[in-house]
Amino acid sequence: MNGIQTIRRGDTVTKVDRTGKGAVLCMRGILRAMRAVGQACHAGADPDFQQELRAALARIDRFIADNAPDGAVPSRDGTTEPEQRPGAVCGRDAEAMYEALRTGGAAGLRAQFDDLLSIPREPVMNPCL
């Protein structure tokens, strides 16, 4: 697919997103982590933003299913997220990332993911941040 570079070094193959939109699998991982922070550390706060986090994850999963060479969506390790103690996910760095993402509110998050998913391409992990 257009915009994806394949780099081979020995037996290692790395695919890199060169579209400028971002690595979809990387952003999926970050968004899943931010959803966990929201659930554990901000339960009941910003319901519109929390809903948009869930919607963004669903959109990413659809994008992956539509664009992955094998059509597979990476496993979520079951249908529910494991329950975690708030202290396990509410660290300073995670909170800072959550607050940075939340700054634009639900509309800002939606716009960010509209841009990320605007070009059909193979979902890859690199470059990740």
Side-chain angles (χ1 to χ4, degrees):
M1 287 188 176
N2 219 359
I4 302 300
Q5 178 184 16
T6 301
I7 301 170
R8 297 185 195 303
R9 289 192 180 100
D11 292 337
T12 304
V13 176
T14 303
K15 293 187 179 187
V16 179
D17 187 293
R18 297 285 187 216
T19 65
K21 297 297 181 182
V24 173
L25 294 179
C26 173
M27 289 304 297
R28 181 181 184 267
I30 291 169
L31 202 61
R32 287 185 69 212
M34 293 302 95
R35 184 183 65 182
V37 170
Q39 290 173 334
C41 316
H42 302 276
D46 296 319
D48 291 340
F49 180 74
Q50 298 267 346
Q51 175 55 37
E52 194 57 42
L53 279 172
R54 289 187 295 276
L57 273 167
R59 289 177 60 199
I60 286 174
D61 286 346
R62 277 192 309 276
F63 182 95
I64 292 167
D66 290 346
N67 293 288
D70 59 5
V73 175
S75 172
R76 287 183 185 228
D77 301 323
T79 57
T80 60
E81 296 294 324
E83 189 172 323
Q84 297 183 13
R85 296 181 325 278
V89 295
C90 299
R92 184 174 63 197
D93 291 342
E95 283 287 343
M97 283 184 72
Y98 182 85
E99 288 303 319
L101 193 60
R102 193 175 68 89
T103 299
L109 183 65
R110 189 174 317 108
Q112 181 179 352
F113 282 87
D114 285 348
D115 186 53
L116 173 73
L117 305 176
S118 64
I119 298 174
R121 62 198 183 281
E122 183 177 349
V124 297
M125 190 68 176
N126 295 297
C128 193
L129 298 182

